[in-house]
Amino acid sequence: MTSIQQIALQLSGGFLVGVCVWLWLERKRRIRRAKELKRLDGEIAGLLRRLKEVNAEIEAVNVETIKQILSGVELKSEVGK
């Protein structure tokens, strides 16, 4: 084997090692990202549950307020008769 062939073989071997390391690092990055997305998904689900609870509380207050306003309007209309 000539020295040029040996150099070419070493370069291709180094390139192959570089690609393998890059693929391994990319895999680790994707695994970390998947874990982060799963954690965020749980947090978002919790926030949505809380938002629905708060929305239901607001809706209940709004309904009660409307009932009070309407009962006040009815009382005023009866007083005016």
Side-chain angles (χ1 to χ4, degrees):
M1 185 177 293
T2 66
S3 61
I4 293 178
Q5 289 174 328
Q6 288 177 342
I7 292 171
L9 185 61
Q10 288 174 348
L11 287 174
S12 63
F15 178 75
L16 183 60
V17 168
V19 169
C20 289
V21 168
W22 178 79
L23 287 173
W24 178 72
L25 290 172
E26 183 65 18
R27 181 177 177 271
K28 282 181 64 175
R29 186 190 67 80
R30 288 181 183 210
I31 290 170
R32 275 195 313 273
R33 181 72 177 142
K35 288 179 183 177
E36 181 182 350
L37 289 174
K38 188 173 182 179
R39 181 187 60 79
L40 289 174
D41 186 50
E43 287 182 18
I44 290 170
L47 290 171
L48 285 175
R49 276 192 303 275
R50 182 62 186 136
L51 185 59
K52 287 178 183 178
E53 293 169 1
V54 169
N55 195 31
E57 292 172 9
I58 291 170
E59 185 70 27
V61 169
N62 286 344
V63 168
E64 188 60 35
T65 303
I66 291 170
K67 286 180 181 177
Q68 290 173 358
I69 291 170
L70 291 177
S71 68
V73 169
E74 291 170 6
L75 290 176
K76 288 179 184 177
S77 64
E78 290 177 10
V79 170
K81 287 184 181 179

